[in-house]
């Protein structure tokens, strides 16, 4: 079964909570949508022997498929408490792994 929590809503997340654990801790990595589009297109473009996409074309593709982290997270935030989430930016992980590792350790109670 394909679990699309965005479409299935809080009922599906409630089932996940029951299956996994009510005290489940979730780490959410957030990335700039344009950066994500660039990272996805570069390998596929080069594998197919196509020229790299121009930044304007990538931005247009992102606008054609708009999505929002909040839409996907909403059912989870309805079911779980905010303290069960750690939100991180990908850029922070890429630039300062030690600080992010410390945040993860603190969140998971490992320190």
């Amino acid at each position: 079964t394909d679990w699309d929590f965005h479409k299935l809503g809080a009922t599906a997340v409630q089932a996940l909570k029951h299956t996994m654990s009510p005290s489940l801790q979730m780490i959410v990595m957030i990335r700039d949508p344009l950066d994500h589009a660039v990272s996805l297109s570069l390998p596929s473009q080069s594998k197919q022997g196509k020229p790299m996409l121009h930044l304007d074309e990538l931005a247009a593709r992102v606008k054609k498929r708009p999505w929002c982290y909040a839409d996907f997270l909403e059912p989870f935030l309805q079911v779980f408490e905010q303290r069960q989430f750690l939100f991180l930016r990908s850029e922070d992980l890429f630039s300062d792994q030690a600080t992010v590792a410390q945040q993860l350790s603190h969140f998971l109670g490992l320190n």
Side-chain angles (χ1 to χ4, degrees), residues 15-31:
L16 175 72
K17 181 178 181 178
H18 177 74
T19 302
M20 299 294 287
S21 170
S23 59
L24 186 68
Q25 291 177 280
M26 289 167 269
I27 300 163
V28 181
M29 184 70 65
I30 296 177
R31 188 168 187 194

Side-chain angles (χ1 to χ4, degrees), residues 20-106:
M20 299 294 287
S21 170
S23 59
L24 186 68
Q25 291 177 280
M26 289 167 269
I27 300 163
V28 181
M29 184 70 65
I30 296 177
R31 188 168 187 194
D32 180 284
L34 185 55
D35 289 343
H36 186 238
V38 168
S39 70
L40 290 176
S41 70
L42 293 179
S44 65
Q45 293 291 74
S46 62
K47 284 181 188 175
Q48 296 174 6
K50 296 179 182 177
M52 298 298 184
L53 297 176
H54 189 270
L55 189 57
D56 292 338
E57 187 176 350
L58 285 169
R61 286 185 180 190
V62 169
K63 287 180 182 178
K64 283 182 186 176
R65 293 181 41 202
W67 57 274
C68 177
Y69 285 110
D71 292 339
F72 291 95
L73 291 170
E74 184 177 3
F76 288 89
L77 294 169
Q78 290 173 353
V79 173
F80 291 96
E81 296 178 33
Q82 187 174 353
R83 65 178 175 78
Q84 292 177 264
F85 292 89
L86 175 63
F87 294 94
L88 299 169
R89 294 175 347 123
S90 295
E91 296 83 4
D92 295 338
L93 176 64
F94 301 149
S95 67
D96 190 358
Q97 294 90 5
T99 299
V100 172
Q102 189 175 32
Q103 290 172 319
L104 284 166
S105 178
H106 178 75

